[in-house]
Coordinates of all heavy atoms in Angstrom, one line a residue:
D1379 N 69.8 -176.9 -28.0 CA 70.6 -175.6 -28.4 C 69.8 -174.7 -29.2 O 69.0 -175.0 -30.2 CB 71.8 -176.1 -29.3 CG 72.9 -176.9 -28.4 OD1 72.9 -176.8 -27.3 OD2 73.4 -177.8 -29.1
L1380 N 69.9 -173.4 -28.8 CA 69.1 -172.4 -29.4 C 69.9 -171.3 -30.1 O 71.1 -171.0 -29.7 CB 68.3 -171.8 -28.4 CG 67.3 -172.6 -27.3 CD1 66.7 -171.7 -26.3 CD2 66.3 -173.3 -28.2
L1381 N 69.3 -170.7 -31.1 CA 69.9 -169.6 -31.7 C 71.4 -169.8 -32.2 O 72.2 -169.1 -31.8 CB 69.8 -168.3 -30.9 CG 68.4 -168.1 -30.2 CD1 68.5 -167.0 -29.2 CD2 67.6 -167.6 -31.4
N1382 N 71.5 -170.9 -33.0 CA 72.9 -171.3 -33.4 C 73.8 -171.4 -32.3 O 74.9 -170.9 -32.4 CB 73.4 -170.1 -34.5 CG 72.6 -170.3 -35.6 OD1 72.2 -171.2 -36.2 ND2 72.3 -168.9 -36.1
R1383 N 73.4 -172.0 -31.3 CA 74.2 -172.4 -30.0 C 74.6 -171.2 -29.3 O 75.7 -171.4 -28.4 CB 75.5 -173.3 -30.5 CG 75.2 -174.6 -31.1 CD 76.3 -175.5 -31.3 NE 77.0 -175.7 -30.0 CZ 78.2 -176.3 -29.8 NH1 78.8 -176.7 -30.9 NH2 78.7 -176.6 -28.6
R1384 N 73.9 -170.1 -29.3 CA 74.1 -169.0 -28.6 C 73.4 -169.1 -27.1 O 73.6 -168.5 -26.1 CB 73.8 -167.7 -29.2 CG 74.5 -167.5 -30.4 CD 74.2 -166.2 -31.0 NE 74.9 -165.8 -32.3 CZ 74.4 -166.0 -33.4 NH1 73.2 -166.0 -33.7 NH2 75.2 -165.6 -34.5
A1385 N 72.5 -170.0 -27.1 CA 71.7 -170.4 -25.8 C 71.5 -171.9 -25.8 O 71.5 -172.6 -26.9 CB 70.5 -169.6 -25.8
R1386 N 71.1 -172.4 -24.7 CA 70.7 -173.8 -24.5 C 69.8 -173.9 -23.4 O 69.7 -173.1 -22.4 CB 71.9 -174.7 -24.2 CG 72.7 -174.6 -23.0 CD 73.7 -175.8 -22.7 NE 74.6 -175.8 -23.7 CZ 75.8 -175.4 -23.6 NH1 76.1 -174.7 -22.4 NH2 76.7 -175.6 -24.6
V1387 N 69.0 -174.9 -23.5 CA 67.9 -175.1 -22.5 C 67.6 -176.5 -22.3 O 67.9 -177.4 -23.1 CB 66.5 -174.3 -22.9 CG1 65.9 -175.0 -24.0 CG2 65.6 -174.3 -21.7
A1388 N 67.3 -176.9 -21.0 CA 66.9 -178.3 -20.7 C 65.6 -178.2 -19.8 O 65.7 -177.4 -19.0 CB 68.0 -179.1 -19.9
F1389 N 64.6 -178.9 -20.0 CA 63.3 -178.9 -19.4 C 62.9 -180.3 -19.1 O 63.0 -181.1 -20.0 CB 62.3 -178.2 -20.1 CG 60.9 -178.1 -19.4 CD1 60.9 -177.4 -18.2 CD2 59.8 -178.7 -19.8 CE1 59.5 -177.4 -17.6 CE2 58.6 -178.8 -19.3 CZ 58.5 -178.2 -18.1
S1390 N 62.6 -180.6 -17.8 CA 62.1 -182.0 -17.5 C 60.8 -182.0 -16.6 O 60.7 -181.0 -15.9 CB 63.3 -182.8 -16.9 OG 63.6 -182.1 -15.7
V1391 N 60.1 -183.0 -16.7 CA 59.0 -183.2 -15.7 C 59.2 -184.7 -15.3 O 59.7 -185.5 -15.9 CB 57.6 -183.1 -16.4 CG1 57.3 -181.7 -16.8 CG2 57.4 -184.1 -17.6
Y1392 N 58.7 -184.9 -14.0 CA 59.0 -186.2 -13.4 C 57.8 -186.5 -12.4 O 57.1 -185.7 -11.9 CB 60.3 -186.2 -12.7 CG 60.3 -185.4 -11.4 CD1 59.9 -185.9 -10.2 CD2 60.7 -184.1 -11.5 CE1 59.8 -185.0 -9.1 CE2 60.6 -183.2 -10.2 CZ 60.3 -183.8 -9.2 OH 60.3 -183.0 -7.9
D1393 N 57.6 -187.9 -12.1 CA 56.8 -188.3 -11.1 C 57.4 -189.4 -10.5 O 57.9 -190.3 -11.2 CB 55.4 -188.7 -11.7 CG 54.3 -189.1 -10.8 OD1 54.4 -190.2 -10.2 OD2 53.5 -188.2 -10.4
Y1394 N 57.5 -189.5 -9.1 CA 58.0 -190.8 -8.4 C 57.2 -191.3 -7.3 O 56.4 -190.5 -6.7 CB 59.4 -190.4 -8.0 CG 59.7 -189.6 -6.8 CD1 59.4 -189.8 -5.6 CD2 60.3 -188.3 -7.2 CE1 59.6 -188.9 -4.6 CE2 60.5 -187.3 -6.2 CZ 60.2 -187.6 -4.8 OH 60.4 -186.8 -3.9
Q1395 N 57.3 -192.4 -7.0 CA 56.8 -193.0 -5.7 C 57.8 -193.9 -5.0 O 58.4 -194.6 -5.5 CB 55.6 -193.8 -6.0 CG 54.9 -194.4 -4.8 CD 53.5 -195.3 -5.1 OE1 53.6 -196.5 -5.1 NE2 52.5 -194.5 -5.4
V1396 N 58.0 -193.4 -3.6 CA 58.8 -194.2 -2.8 C 58.0 -195.1 -2.0 O 57.0 -194.7 -1.3 CB 59.7 -193.3 -1.9 CG1 60.6 -194.1 -1.0 CG2 60.3 -192.1 -2.7
K1397 N 58.4 -196.4 -1.9 CA 57.8 -197.4 -0.9 C 58.6 -197.6 0.2 O 59.8 -197.8 0.0 CB 57.3 -198.6 -1.8 CG 56.2 -198.4 -2.8 CD 56.0 -199.8 -3.5 CE 54.9 -199.6 -4.5 NZ 54.5 -200.9 -5.3
N1398 N 58.0 -197.5 1.4 CA 58.8 -198.0 2.6 C 59.8 -196.9 3.0 O 60.9 -197.3 3.4 CB 59.2 -199.4 2.6 CG 59.0 -200.2 3.7 OD1 58.1 -199.9 4.6 ND2 59.8 -201.0 4.0
Q1399 N 59.5 -195.6 2.7 CA 60.5 -194.6 2.9 C 61.1 -194.6 4.3 O 60.2 -194.6 5.1 CB 60.2 -193.2 2.4 CG 61.3 -192.2 2.5 CD 60.9 -190.9 1.9 OE1 59.9 -190.6 1.3 NE2 61.8 -189.9 2.1
Q1400 N 62.4 -194.6 4.5 CA 63.0 -194.3 5.8 C 62.9 -192.9 6.2 O 63.4 -192.0 5.4 CB 64.4 -194.7 5.6 CG 64.6 -196.2 5.4 CD 66.2 -196.6 5.2 OE1 67.0 -195.9 5.8 NE2 66.4 -197.6 4.2
L1401 N 62.2 -192.7 7.4 CA 62.1 -191.4 7.9 C 62.7 -191.3 9.2 O 62.7 -192.2 10.0 CB 60.7 -190.8 7.9 CG 59.9 -190.9 6.6 CD1 58.4 -190.6 6.9 CD2 60.6 -189.8 5.8
T1402 N 63.1 -190.0 9.6 CA 63.7 -189.8 10.9 C 62.7 -189.0 11.9 O 62.4 -187.9 11.6 CB 65.1 -189.1 10.8 OG1 65.9 -189.8 10.0 CG2 65.7 -188.8 12.3
V1403 N 62.4 -189.6 13.0 CA 61.6 -189.0 14.1 C 62.5 -188.3 15.0 O 63.4 -189.0 15.6 CB 60.7 -190.0 14.6 CG1 59.8 -189.2 15.7 CG2 59.7 -190.6 13.6
V1404 N 62.5 -187.1 15.2 CA 63.3 -186.3 16.1 C 62.5 -185.8 17.3 O 61.6 -185.0 17.2 CB 64.0 -185.2 15.4 CG1 65.1 -184.5 16.4 CG2 64.8 -185.8 14.2
G1405 N 62.9 -186.1 18.6 CA 62.4 -185.4 19.7 C 61.0 -185.6 20.1 O 60.4 -186.6 20.1
G1406 N 60.5 -184.4 20.3 CA 59.1 -184.2 20.8 C 59.4 -183.5 22.2 O 59.4 -182.3 22.3
N1407 N 59.7 -184.2 23.2 CA 60.1 -183.6 24.5 C 61.6 -183.8 24.8 O 62.0 -183.5 25.9 CB 59.2 -184.1 25.7 CG 57.8 -183.7 25.5 OD1 57.5 -182.4 25.2 ND2 56.8 -184.5 25.6
S1408 N 62.3 -184.7 24.1 CA 63.7 -184.9 24.2 C 64.4 -185.0 22.8 O 63.7 -185.4 21.9 CB 63.9 -186.2 25.0 OG 63.3 -187.2 24.3
N1409 N 65.6 -184.7 22.9 CA 66.3 -184.5 21.5 C 66.9 -185.9 21.1 O 68.1 -186.2 21.3 CB 67.3 -183.5 21.6 CG 68.0 -183.4 20.2 OD1 67.3 -183.2 19.3 ND2 69.4 -183.1 20.1
V1410 N 66.1 -186.8 20.9 CA 66.4 -188.2 20.4 C 66.0 -188.5 19.0 O 65.2 -187.8 18.6 CB 66.0 -189.4 21.4 CG1 66.6 -189.3 22.8 CG2 64.5 -189.5 21.4
N1411 N 66.6 -189.5 18.5 CA 66.1 -189.7 17.1 C 66.0 -191.2 16.8 O 66.8 -192.0 17.4 CB 67.1 -189.1 16.1 CG 68.0 -189.8 15.2 OD1 68.8 -189.2 14.7 ND2 68.2 -191.1 15.2
R1412 N 64.9 -191.5 16.1 CA 64.6 -193.1 15.9 C 64.1 -193.0 14.4 O 63.7 -192.0 13.8 CB 63.6 -193.6 16.8 CG 62.3 -192.9 16.7 CD 61.3 -193.4 17.8 NE 60.0 -192.8 18.0 CZ 58.9 -193.1 17.2 NH1 59.0 -194.1 16.5 NH2 57.8 -192.5 17.4
L1413 N 64.2 -194.2 13.8 CA 63.9 -194.5 12.4 C 62.5 -195.2 12.3 O 62.2 -196.1 13.1 CB 65.0 -195.3 11.8 CG 66.4 -194.7 11.8 CD1 67.3 -195.6 11.2 CD2 66.5 -193.4 11.1
I1414 N 61.7 -194.7 11.3 CA 60.6 -195.3 11.0 C 60.5 -195.5 9.4 O 61.2 -194.9 8.7 CB 59.2 -194.5 11.5 CG1 59.3 -193.1 10.9 CG2 59.2 -194.5 13.0 CD1 58.0 -192.3 11.2
N1415 N 59.4 -196.2 9.0 CA 59.1 -196.3 7.5 C 57.7 -195.9 7.2 O 56.8 -196.1 8.0 CB 59.3 -197.7 7.1 CG 60.7 -198.3 7.1 OD1 61.2 -199.0 7.9 ND2 61.4 -198.0 6.0
A1416 N 57.6 -195.1 6.2 CA 56.3 -194.6 5.7 C 55.9 -195.5 4.5 O 56.7 -196.0 3.8 CB 56.4 -193.1 5.2
A1417 N 54.6 -195.9 4.4 CA 54.2 -196.9 3.5 C 54.5 -196.3 2.1 O 55.0 -197.0 1.3 CB 52.6 -197.0 3.6
K1418 N 54.2 -195.1 1.9 CA 54.5 -194.4 0.5 C 54.8 -193.0 0.7 O 54.4 -192.3 1.6 CB 53.2 -194.5 -0.3 CG 52.8 -195.9 -0.9 CD 51.8 -195.7 -2.0 CE 50.5 -195.1 -1.7 NZ 49.7 -195.1 -2.8
T1419 N 55.6 -192.5 -0.3 CA 55.8 -191.0 -0.5 C 55.7 -190.7 -2.0 O 56.3 -191.4 -2.8 CB 57.3 -190.6 0.1 OG1 57.4 -190.8 1.4 CG2 57.4 -189.0 -0.1
N1420 N 54.9 -189.8 -2.3 CA 54.8 -189.4 -3.6 C 55.4 -188.0 -4.0 O 55.5 -187.2 -3.1 CB 53.3 -189.2 -4.0 CG 52.5 -190.4 -3.8 OD1 52.9 -191.5 -4.2 ND2 51.1 -190.3 -3.4
G1421 N 56.0 -188.0 -5.2 CA 56.6 -186.8 -5.7 C 56.5 -186.4 -7.1 O 56.4 -187.5 -7.8
R1422 N 56.4 -185.2 -7.4 CA 56.2 -184.9 -8.9 C 56.6 -183.4 -9.0 O 56.7 -182.6 -8.0 CB 54.8 -185.1 -9.3 CG 53.8 -184.2 -8.6 CD 52.4 -184.6 -9.3 NE 51.4 -183.8 -8.3 CZ 50.8 -184.2 -7.2 NH1 51.1 -185.4 -6.8 NH2 49.8 -183.4 -6.7
G1423 N 57.0 -183.1 -10.2 CA 57.5 -181.7 -10.5 C 58.1 -181.5 -11.8 O 57.9 -182.3 -12.7
A1424 N 58.8 -180.4 -11.9 CA 59.3 -180.0 -13.2 C 60.6 -179.2 -12.9 O 60.9 -178.6 -11.9 CB 58.4 -179.2 -14.0
E1425 N 61.6 -179.2 -13.9 CA 62.8 -178.5 -13.7 C 63.3 -177.8 -15.1 O 62.9 -178.3 -16.1 CB 63.9 -179.5 -13.3 CG 63.8 -180.1 -11.9 CD 64.1 -181.6 -11.9 OE1 64.3 -182.2 -13.0 OE2 64.2 -182.1 -10.7
L1426 N 63.9 -176.7 -15.0 CA 64.4 -176.1 -16.1 C 65.8 -175.4 -15.8 O 66.1 -174.9 -14.8 CB 63.4 -174.7 -16.3 CG 63.9 -173.8 -17.4 CD1 63.7 -174.3 -18.7 CD2 63.1 -172.5 -17.3
D1427 N 66.7 -175.6 -16.8 CA 67.9 -175.0 -16.9 C 68.2 -174.1 -18.2 O 67.8 -174.8 -19.2 CB 69.0 -176.0 -16.9 CG 69.6 -176.2 -15.5 OD1 69.8 -175.3 -14.7 OD2 69.9 -177.5 -15.1
F1428 N 68.5 -172.9 -18.0 CA 68.7 -172.1 -19.3 C 70.0 -171.4 -19.1 O 70.4 -170.8 -18.0 CB 67.6 -171.2 -19.6 CG 67.8 -170.1 -20.6 CD1 67.6 -170.4 -22.0 CD2 68.3 -168.8 -20.2 CE1 67.8 -169.6 -22.9 CE2 68.5 -168.0 -21.1 CZ 68.3 -168.3 -22.6

Side-chain angles (χ1 to χ4, degrees):
D1379 294 326
L1380 307 173
L1381 307 169
N1382 295 320
R1383 295 189 61 186
R1384 297 184 180 111
R1386 68 168 60 95
V1387 69
F1389 177 70
S1390 59
V1391 294
Y1392 69 87
D1393 185 279
Y1394 68 75
Q1395 184 177 95
V1396 184
K1397 293 184 178 180
N1398 224 27
Q1399 183 175 353
Q1400 301 174 27
L1401 299 174
T1402 301
V1403 178
V1404 182
N1407 291 312
S1408 60
N1409 190 47
V1410 299
N1411 104 191
R1412 61 187 177 89
L1413 302 177
I1414 60 174
N1415 289 97
K1418 288 194 303 184
T1419 300
N1420 297 322
R1422 58 181 177 272
E1425 293 144 345
L1426 173 73
D1427 263 321
F1428 170 84

